[in-house]
Amino acid sequence: MDEVALQDTTKPVPKFTSFRVKEPSPSLGGGLKDYGRNQESTRADGPASKNHHCKEDHGRYPRHDRRSHHDTYEYSVAKGRSRKLRPRPSSPKTILVPWNDGNNTFVIDRNGDSSNLTYGTLDISSKPSYFRFGAGSVVGLPTSIKIDRYSSSEKVVILSRFPQDASKQRDKASFGKAYYRRSRTLRVRLDEASNIEKDTAADFLPLRLAKRQKRRHRNDEGSSDSLASSDEGIGHYRSVEGKASSSTRPSDEDLSYSSDVSISEQDSRSDALNQDYRQKHTMLSRQVDADSTDPEAWLNFIDHQDRIHASGNDATGSKMTSAERWSNADIKISMYERALEKVISSEARERLLLGMMEEGSKLWDDKKLATKWQSMLRTNPANLGLWTRYLNFKQTNFQSFRYEEVRSVYVESLKVLRSAQVETQVSNADFYSIYEIQIYVVLRMTLFMREAGFLEHATATWQSLIEYICHRPSHFNNHGRTLEGSSESAALLAFEEFWDSEVPRVGEEGAEGWAKFESKRGLPPVPRKCNEKVSIDDRHVFESWVMYERTRSLQSRIPARTSDDLEENDPYRVILFSDIRDALISLPNPNGQHIFVAALLIFCQLPPLRTDSTRDTLNKWWKDPFLRNQAIYQILPSWHSQTFGLGSKAMGTENVPASEEHDAKSIKDPFRFPTMDYQLSSDSLFAAKASWFSPFDAWQNEFSSNQGTLEIGWIRRVFKALVDLGSNVHGLTEYYLAFELRNFPILVERTAKSLLKKQPSQLRLYNFYALVEYRLGNTNSAETVIVTAINMSKKLNEEAQRDTVLLWRTWIWESLSMGHTGHALECLLMFADHNVKLDLSKTESEKQLAVEEVNPALLLRTQSVLRDSRDQMVSLALYSHASMYMECLILLTYLSEHLSISAALTTFKSNLTTLSIHLALNSLINENLYQSMAKLLYHHATNSHFFTPTMIRSFLAESIAIFPQNTIFLSLYAWNEIRFRIDDRVRSLMRNAVFARGSGERQDSVISHFFAIYTELNRGITLGSNSHAVRGTFERAVNSRCGANSAGLWMLYLQFEHSRGEMERAKGIFHRAIRACPWVKGIYMFAFRCLRMATGEHEMRAIYELMGEKELRVHIGLDDVFERIDK
């Protein structure tokens, strides 16, 4: 049948002289042809008219589309057939389709458009369309400047500069095509001869069966058989399939495309896959039915729902559609609701509730989601995880974010928590848990205020809390659960009177506290004046505005008084009692001061003091991305000594290897990581610079020259007020002395002596005083203090004598740190007899004691005394003191065994076994002991030439496995591996140990991402790092759950791109950052400081207006300036 049709349609090829196109039939399109001819007659003939039309048509349609449409239309009019015919090469005539039925070119309309009366405007369909020519180019301007179609409007045309690099455009287009090109899934082909019996007598087993190739043969006519190719999978060059047939199969003949399998094979595979999922579903369902109160069974059952939905898309490689995601979320919500009816455990219910709300965010709108959150929090007020996720939900929604609305959410949350405490059925444990959540909400709220620009409001809130909790008059100190009783109401009235009097408050000069206000009425402070005049330069508006705005922000760190002489009427500078009323919280019991002081330290951007009772809570807080935003205010030199060790594109040093000097500096100084997370001890608090990890190094860089978010003097006065009140917070006095030593070294000695006069029997204070003398360089004075305190301890009671081990430990470590190993060993041997003698007339060389001179009996007696003291402390459950005796035993082994680090490690493991019987492996005491051993390892590696890096690596890897977020172990591990340029163990450690998903501490933490970025920045190109690796690390961080809304991560990412001169990338990161963190004023200000040249004046105005729309704090308005410039 096909052959007959082919013969009928075949015609001889005509000669050129005989080929003529038939004239069009008058019945087909004649009227339209005449119209085109009439239109041609009305225009002037000549090239000008034709060129004008072609140019206009070229601007409207692509070239290939215009030609195909024109050819097909002209021939269909001429012939009325569907087959396309090549047009004549002689002067083609353009056919214009009329937009009205008349034949006149110009029409005079005397009546007008009736739509003007009905709608007030012309009919849109009657307006002719106009198109610009040149893809945004403007006549007379360079080709790089084009019209920005996104920023321009009908009335305003915005010009922008676009890059001329054509290679970037081609690369972008190539990546775009690759992104949208559908990938094909490969599968392993089944061996059809797999069931063939193998020849066991053969000398070898073939990996694949040999295929019999077809021989070429010639037929009787002498032509080769082109269709019988020797290679079965490749088409012959004369095959009807052509060259395209070779690309339809994968290059590896053992693979095939999943889409190429037969329907029956697909069905069989799909049935087998579905059968596996059905069996798994049945097994999980039976587990839930067997024990409906098991949360793990419910969570596994719910998670399996995702795998069931994803199984249908695995074969094709396609993603789930929106309808499929909504359906899956609806099913999982119903499963969560069933699980919540059965599960009783509070921790398990928290996981189930968070999972249900996460699925609800995919299905419900914002209004319903907010209603669900509020009802859930009312029924579960003591759940910190739910409150955290709810605050994150309200604070990070860019579309609906407004500062006042989010602040009202915090205030309402505090009211809900306060009403939950009043309920009589709340247990004491839940009552204290609600108090901890109240402190967390206040901390989040004040940090939110400060990052939005309202510094004085945040500071005033903490001033009121410190006064209300710590300086409370004695007749109002009724710790209990009657928060809304008459006593509490009277306390609020009295505190309102104190606040409205505007006397100096805590942290300010001359502050005496609320307790003394009733007996001794004070006077308001001397009015302050702000005489600085603001003069915005109209030529450089934003450049001058940023400088004045920064100055005003620093001046507003302390709230103003109504009597202050302010240049402008700023309603936010004076904080009234109504502004801080809802944040006032009462202590449930005296132990509540620990969590309160820890929150205050976090607000001051200092690490908190952790105890066994507050460790779990503070670990969650200290890893919270909304609380760990110190990187907002940090600069790049604190993260890297060079320009990220990668070279700066802006400086023309792209791909320059890191210098040998920088590598040496990184090896000698592993303490520069700014975002710390480890257990505080006297080693870190009183650490000398560049000798050990200190929590004040990065803090001093940020608050240098008193340019931080808080005044350093304000923080010092707050610490002094808390210490003078005799706060029962363990370690606060030590913290205060360490802070003053770093920031006010001239005053610290006098402060330490004044504290000793108040508490002369506290051996801990003598220990801190000795450490202060050591850091001031007064070694003889420090040793005199230690010896005096040890000899004095014999007159104290037994409980007070227990702190003597602190003095021994400090003395030994300080001697060892100065390189006096013999003197350190001599100090240790004195411990046996407690007979301490100090001869200051001896020189350092005379103090050295050789190991060979040690009496073996004295050494054994010292070891026995240390073990007995250790066991006694363990029996009394004084594990902190026991760990110090263990450190002395480890140091004694190290010094007596000729500085053998392997012997010290053996002693460490044996003592750790003793301690682990009574404590968990990841307890605070064990963490301190591991940190002390890491300090000894670092000392040995930097002062001895005989050590093996493998030993250090194995110990640090073990420590990281137990404490994956401890930055001491992470930093030392990276420092130890920087000398090995082949093995990339740091990246493997971060991937396998730190970022590993699991239970406990092995959760995705923002600190882990900070450290990964830090190590990648300091790696250098010689160790395998480059800008793409750093950028990939940043992307992994900001795309993680914990880092998506971390303002510190986004700020570092912005600074990285800006330092390399990647302005377009920096602009993109800026827009992503404000969408993720719409409340952070610092991110907006970064654009005004560093992105002015890349964005332009119009976009700068838009960013400024966006700040006003989000209700962020702006001290100096620019509306009048803009009006003056526009005029």
Side-chain angles (χ1 to χ4, degrees):
M1 187 69 180
D2 295 338
E3 296 178 358
V4 176
L6 183 62
Q7 293 175 3
D8 293 340
T9 56
T10 303
K11 296 182 180 181
V13 179
K15 303 294 183 179
F16 287 103
T17 55
S18 62
F19 181 69
R20 296 290 186 271
V21 180
K22 297 182 179 181
E23 294 294 332
S25 175
S27 61
L28 296 176
L32 189 57
K33 194 73 174 180
D34 295 337
Y35 173 81
R37 189 178 297 110
N38 293 333
Q39 293 296 326
E40 292 291 338
S41 63
T42 59
R43 296 195 298 263
D45 297 332
S49 61
K50 295 180 181 180
N51 293 339
H52 173 75
H53 171 74
C54 293
K55 182 176 181 180
E56 181 182 2
D57 194 63
H58 173 73
R60 294 182 58 179
Y61 304 101
R63 179 173 299 178
H64 63 279
D65 292 343
R66 185 180 71 251
R67 180 171 55 190
S68 60
H69 172 75
H70 174 70
D71 293 345
T72 304
Y73 173 78
E74 183 179 2
Y75 188 76
S76 63
V77 172
K79 293 294 184 181
R81 299 180 183 176
S82 60
R83 189 163 61 93
K84 179 179 174 181
L85 183 64
R86 186 181 301 274
R88 294 192 302 270
S90 59
S91 63
K93 296 181 180 180
T94 303
I95 305 302
L96 296 178
V97 180
W99 60 275
N100 56 13
D101 295 335
N103 294 327
N104 297 325
T105 305
F106 301 98
V107 178
I108 299 176
D109 187 3
R110 298 180 181 273
N111 298 326
D113 192 352
S114 59
S115 299
N116 286 331
L117 300 177
T118 305
Y119 304 106
T121 182
L122 296 176
D123 188 4
I124 298 178
S125 60
S126 64
K127 294 180 181 179
S129 299
Y130 295 93
F131 300 91
R132 293 191 180 101
F133 172 77
S137 300
V138 180
V139 177
L141 293 180
T143 56
S144 60
I145 299 179
K146 298 180 181 295
I147 297 175
D148 192 344
R149 59 178 181 175
Y150 298 105
S151 303
S152 303
S153 62
E154 295 181 357
K155 298 181 180 180
V156 180
V157 176
I158 304 299
L159 300 179
S160 301
R161 185 181 297 276
F162 293 89
Q164 294 180 332
D165 191 355
S167 60
K168 293 183 178 181
Q169 301 295 333
R170 289 195 299 269
D171 293 341
K172 184 176 180 181
S174 300
F175 282 117
K177 292 178 182 178
Y179 177 79
Y180 288 107
R181 189 182 300 123
R182 189 179 183 85
S183 59
R184 302 185 66 182
T185 307
L186 293 173
R187 68 176 182 86
V188 179
R189 295 178 60 185
L190 296 177
D191 192 357
E192 298 176 356
S194 59
N195 296 327
I196 298 178
E197 187 175 340
K198 302 295 186 300
D199 186 6
T200 57
D203 295 336
F204 65 93
L205 288 176
L207 296 179
R208 65 181 65 178
L209 296 178
K211 296 183 180 181
R212 190 183 302 273
Q213 295 185 354
K214 297 182 180 181
R215 295 190 177 185
R216 285 182 154 186
H217 59 278
R218 293 185 174 274
N219 52 16
D220 298 338
E221 299 177 358
S223 61
S224 62
D225 186 5
S226 61
L227 298 179
S229 175
S230 60
D231 297 325
E232 290 184 353
I234 302 177
H236 197 269
Y237 77 97
R238 293 179 61 186
S239 172
V240 293
E241 298 179 0
K243 295 182 179 180
S245 61
S246 61
S247 63
T248 59
R249 301 175 186 174
S251 57
D252 192 345
E253 60 183 19
D254 291 334
L255 301 175
S256 64
Y257 292 116
S258 299
S259 57
D260 293 342
V261 300
S262 60
I263 297 178
S264 59
E265 187 175 351
Q266 285 185 356
D267 293 341
S268 61
R269 288 177 178 271
S270 179
D271 292 340
L273 185 62
N274 292 335
Q275 182 66 22
D276 294 339
Y277 282 115
R278 282 196 295 267
Q279 291 178 358
K280 182 71 172 178
H281 181 82
T282 303
M283 182 188 68
L284 294 175
S285 178
R286 289 175 180 175
Q287 292 179 0
V288 170
D289 294 338
D291 187 5
S292 59
T293 60
D294 184 10
E296 294 297 333
W298 278 106
L299 290 172
N300 294 333
F301 188 35
I302 295 172
D303 292 340
H304 183 66
Q305 191 67 28
D306 293 331
R307 290 188 287 271
I308 292 177
H309 275 263
S311 63
N313 301 320
D314 288 342
T316 59
S318 60
K319 299 180 180 179
M320 294 178 62
T321 63
S322 299
E324 291 174 341
R325 286 194 295 269
W326 294 338
S327 175
N328 186 34
D330 193 12
I331 295 173
K332 292 179 69 175
I333 288 174
S334 62
M335 297 173 71
Y336 277 117
E337 291 174 348
R338 288 172 51 200
L340 288 170
E341 296 175 357
K342 305 293 183 180
V343 177
I344 304 174
S345 172
S346 58
E347 296 181 359
R349 289 183 62 85
E350 177 183 345
R351 297 172 62 186
L352 292 171
L353 288 170
L354 290 176
M356 185 179 70
M357 297 308 297
E358 184 177 356
E359 297 300 326
S361 62
K362 306 174 185 176
L363 186 62
W364 303 325
D365 56 6
D366 292 344
K367 184 177 180 180
K368 184 175 181 180
L369 189 62
T371 304
K372 289 284 186 179
W373 271 116
Q374 293 173 3
S375 62
M376 186 183 302
L377 291 172
R378 286 191 178 93
T379 55
N380 301 273
N383 197 310
L384 177 61
L386 293 178
W387 281 102
T388 304
R389 192 69 63 86
Y390 171 67
L391 295 176
N392 297 350
F393 159 70
K394 298 298 294 185
Q395 189 169 332
T396 59
N397 192 340
F398 177 78
Q399 298 294 336
S400 61
F401 174 81
R402 299 294 183 276
Y403 170 79
E404 287 298 334
E405 293 181 7
V406 177
R407 193 182 72 86
S408 65
V409 169
Y410 281 103
V411 173
E412 290 298 325
S413 300
L414 291 173
K415 291 180 180 179
V416 172
L417 290 168
R418 188 177 296 110
S419 62
Q421 279 185 321
V422 179
E423 297 180 2
T424 56
Q425 65 269 22
V426 177
S427 62
N428 292 331
D430 288 343
F431 185 85
Y432 188 81
S433 299
I434 293 174
Y435 163 74
E436 288 186 345
I437 297 174
Q438 284 178 309
I439 296 295
Y440 173 79
V441 173
V442 170
L443 177 59
R444 279 281 302 266
M445 181 178 68
T446 51
L447 290 177
F448 165 73
M449 292 175 179
R450 185 169 68 188
E451 291 165 6
F454 297 86
L455 281 74
E456 61 273 82
H457 198 172
T459 305
T461 302
W462 278 103
Q463 282 182 310
S464 63
L465 277 172
I466 297 171
E467 294 281 2
Y468 194 72
I469 292 177
C470 301
H471 290 271
R472 195 184 186 101
S474 58
H475 56 277
F476 289 134
N477 282 335
N478 57 338
H479 300 297
R481 297 176 55 172
T482 58
L483 298 179
E484 298 297 333
S486 57
S487 178
E488 189 67 21
S489 300
L492 289 174
L493 290 175
F495 187 75
E496 182 178 3
E497 182 183 1
F498 163 76
W499 189 267
D500 292 340
S501 65
E502 294 189 342
V503 297
R505 301 154 188 162
V506 62
E508 300 175 358
E509 293 285 352
E512 296 182 350
W514 178 30
K516 294 184 179 180
F517 173 74
E518 294 187 355
S519 60
K520 181 183 177 181
R521 301 277 172 165
L523 297 175
V526 178
R528 293 180 295 178
K529 295 183 179 181
C530 182
N531 297 325
E532 181 185 5
K533 296 182 179 180
V534 177
S535 178
I536 302 297
D537 188 356
D538 292 350
R539 295 173 299 176
H540 307 283
V541 175
F542 295 105
E543 183 177 358
S544 58
W545 174 75
V546 167
M547 180 182 62
Y548 287 116
E549 186 72 15
R550 171 65 176 170
T551 304
R552 285 292 180 86
S553 297
L554 293 176
Q555 293 175 354
S556 65
R557 290 178 295 183
I558 301 298
R561 302 298 197 269
T562 55
S563 58
D564 291 346
D565 184 11
L566 302 177
E567 183 179 355
E568 296 181 2
N569 187 15
D570 191 349
Y572 298 105
R573 291 288 288 116
V574 179
I575 306 301
L576 304 178
F577 178 76
S578 58
D579 298 327
I580 51 94
R581 164 66 180 85
D582 296 316
L584 297 179
I585 302 171
S586 297
L587 286 179
N589 52 60
N591 294 329
Q593 284 190 4
H594 291 85
I595 199 72
F596 172 75
V597 172
L600 175 61
L601 291 173
I602 295 175
F603 177 76
C604 297
Q605 301 181 27
L606 290 168
L609 289 168
R610 297 178 234 191
T611 61
D612 292 331
S613 60
T614 62
R615 184 198 181 196
D616 294 338
T617 301
L618 292 179
N619 280 346
K620 295 178 182 178
W621 289 12
W622 199 231
K623 295 175 177 60
D624 193 330
F626 293 88
L627 303 184
R628 297 304 303 271
N629 278 339
Q630 296 94 327
I632 300 177
Y633 315 103
Q634 292 171 354
I635 57 177
L636 295 185
S638 63
W639 284 75
H640 200 278
S641 58
Q642 294 181 346
T643 309
F644 290 94
L646 305 169
S648 176
K649 187 176 181 181
M651 299 178 184
T653 57
E654 174 73 359
N655 295 333
V656 175
S659 62
E660 296 296 332
E661 180 182 357
H662 169 255
D663 290 343
K665 183 176 181 180
S666 298
I667 292 175
K668 293 180 181 179
D669 187 9
F671 318 119
R672 294 184 299 110
F673 178 53
T675 308
M676 55 79 62
D677 184 17
Y678 47 80
Q679 181 61 25
L680 295 179
S681 64
S682 58
D683 292 338
S684 55
L685 287 174
F686 292 93
K689 290 186 177 181
S691 64
W692 191 241
F693 297 88
S694 173
F696 303 113
D697 288 341
W699 191 91
Q700 276 190 313
N701 293 332
E702 177 189 340
F703 283 78
S704 61
S705 303
N706 203 16
Q707 298 295 308
T709 55
L710 292 171
E711 293 183 2
I712 300 180
W714 185 88
I715 299 175
R716 176 184 177 271
R717 288 187 287 269
V718 168
F719 280 166
K720 185 178 184 301
L722 294 176
V723 172
D724 291 343
L725 286 173
S727 176
N728 61 348
V729 178
H730 178 73
L732 184 60
T733 304
E734 178 183 6
Y735 207 112
Y736 169 50
L737 284 175
F739 177 84
E740 191 156 288
L741 174 65
R742 271 302 183 97
N743 299 280
F744 304 93
I746 300 177
L747 304 176
V748 63
E749 192 172 3
R750 185 178 61 185
T751 302
K753 291 180 179 180
S754 65
L755 291 174
L756 279 173
K757 289 181 180 179
K758 295 179 181 179
Q759 298 175 332
S761 61
Q762 288 289 332
L763 295 180
R764 299 181 66 89
L765 287 178
Y766 283 95
N767 181 54
F768 303 152
Y769 182 36
L771 285 169
V772 167
E773 294 291 351
Y774 272 119
R775 294 300 164 261
L776 294 177
N778 305 324
T779 304
N780 291 334
S781 299
E783 290 187 347
T784 301
V785 171
I786 291 177
V787 172
T788 303
I790 291 176
N791 293 328
M792 185 192 68
S793 65
K794 301 175 183 178
K795 303 177 182 180
L796 301 177
N797 56 35
E798 182 180 357
E799 183 179 357
Q801 289 182 8
R802 295 169 184 168
D803 291 335
T804 310
V805 66
L806 276 73
L807 297 165
W808 287 102
R809 178 186 179 278
T810 299
W811 197 9
I812 298 165
W813 264 116
E814 291 299 325
S815 299
L816 183 61
S817 299
M818 290 183 291
H820 305 155
T821 56
H823 182 55
L825 180 58
E826 184 181 6
C827 295
L828 266 171
L829 295 176
M830 293 180 190
F831 192 88
D833 299 329
H834 286 277
N835 185 16
V836 183
K837 296 180 180 180
L838 182 63
D839 189 357
L840 298 178
S841 62
K842 289 184 178 181
T843 62
E844 296 298 337
S845 60
E846 293 176 349
K847 291 181 181 179
Q848 299 298 321
L849 176 66
V851 178
E852 293 77 8
E853 301 175 4
V854 176
N855 186 356
L858 180 60
L859 180 62
L860 291 175
R861 188 166 65 252
T862 304
Q863 291 176 349
S864 177
V865 172
L866 288 174
R867 290 194 188 98
D868 293 342
S869 301
R870 176 200 64 187
D871 295 339
Q872 182 184 7
M873 294 298 107
V874 170
S875 63
L876 295 175
L878 299 175
Y879 302 113
S880 177
H881 292 75
S883 66
M884 295 181 188
Y885 283 108
M886 293 177 184
E887 288 186 46
C888 294
L889 278 169
I890 295 170
L891 292 173
L892 179 62
T893 304
Y894 175 71
L895 295 172
S896 62
E897 294 290 341
H898 300 279
L899 306 182
S900 174
I901 195 64
S902 59
L905 281 171
T906 303
T907 306
F908 165 77
K909 292 179 181 179
S910 62
N911 282 275
L912 185 65
T913 304
T914 303
L915 198 60
S916 300
I917 299 175
H918 307 276
L919 295 174
L921 190 60
N922 61 346
S923 62
L924 290 179
I925 306 299
N926 280 346
E927 188 173 4
N928 267 324
L929 191 59
Y930 269 95
Q931 289 179 180
S932 178
M933 189 64 213
K935 182 180 179 181
L936 181 60
L937 282 170
Y938 175 75
H939 170 80
H940 180 79
T942 53
N943 293 274
S944 175
H945 298 288
F946 304 99
F947 74 98
T948 56
T950 305
M951 184 183 302
I952 300 178
R953 181 189 305 124
S954 59
F955 172 80
L956 293 174
E958 177 188 348
S959 305
I960 293 172
I962 304 173
F963 310 100
Q965 307 296 331
N966 191 299
T967 54
I968 288 181
F969 305 140
L970 292 173
S971 299
L972 290 179
Y973 189 93
W975 161 81
N976 185 57
E977 296 300 325
I978 199 171
R979 59 176 60 88
F980 304 103
R981 298 177 179 268
I982 298 178
D983 298 329
D984 193 5
R985 296 189 181 93
V986 178
R987 287 177 176 173
S988 301
L989 178 78
M990 297 297 297
R991 180 174 59 253
N992 300 328
V994 180
F995 287 122
R997 298 273 182 178
S999 59
E1001 293 188 16
R1002 294 193 179 187
Q1003 296 294 331
D1004 196 12
S1005 170
V1006 68
I1007 299 174
S1008 304
H1009 290 290
F1010 275 123
F1011 185 78
I1013 293 169
Y1014 174 77
T1015 55
E1016 201 66 46
L1017 292 174
N1018 288 272
R1019 189 184 306 275
I1021 197 170
T1022 58
L1023 300 179
S1025 181
N1026 51 40
S1027 60
H1028 303 291
V1030 177
R1031 191 173 293 116
T1033 308
F1034 272 112
E1035 286 293 333
R1036 189 183 307 113
V1038 298
N1039 289 325
S1040 63
R1041 174 176 294 182
C1042 67
N1045 303 109
S1046 174
L1049 283 174
W1050 284 108
M1051 183 61 74
L1052 285 178
Y1053 199 0
L1054 270 171
Q1055 295 183 68
F1056 168 73
E1057 297 293 357
H1058 176 262
S1059 68
R1060 293 183 51 79
E1062 298 282 354
M1063 294 304 174
E1064 292 300 323
R1065 289 183 182 272
K1067 282 179 58 178
I1069 299 302
F1070 166 74
H1071 291 296
R1072 291 171 59 189
I1074 60 176
R1075 286 195 297 268
C1077 308
W1079 72 93
V1080 182
K1081 180 184 177 182
I1083 297 179
Y1084 294 85
M1085 299 303 293
F1086 181 86
F1088 294 110
R1089 291 196 313 268
C1090 305
L1091 302 179
R1092 292 193 305 269
M1093 301 301 296
T1095 53
E1097 193 76 15
H1098 177 75
E1099 193 167 352
M1100 285 289 98
R1101 283 199 186 189
I1103 296 173
Y1104 174 82
E1105 293 173 357
L1106 181 62
M1107 292 179 63
E1109 180 184 346
K1110 299 303 179 184
E1111 300 176 356
L1112 303 183
R1113 178 69 183 279
V1114 177
H1115 296 271
I1116 302 172
L1118 295 178
D1119 295 337
D1120 296 338
V1121 179
F1122 292 152
E1123 291 180 2
R1124 184 171 66 249
I1125 294 175
D1126 293 339
K1127 290 181 180 179

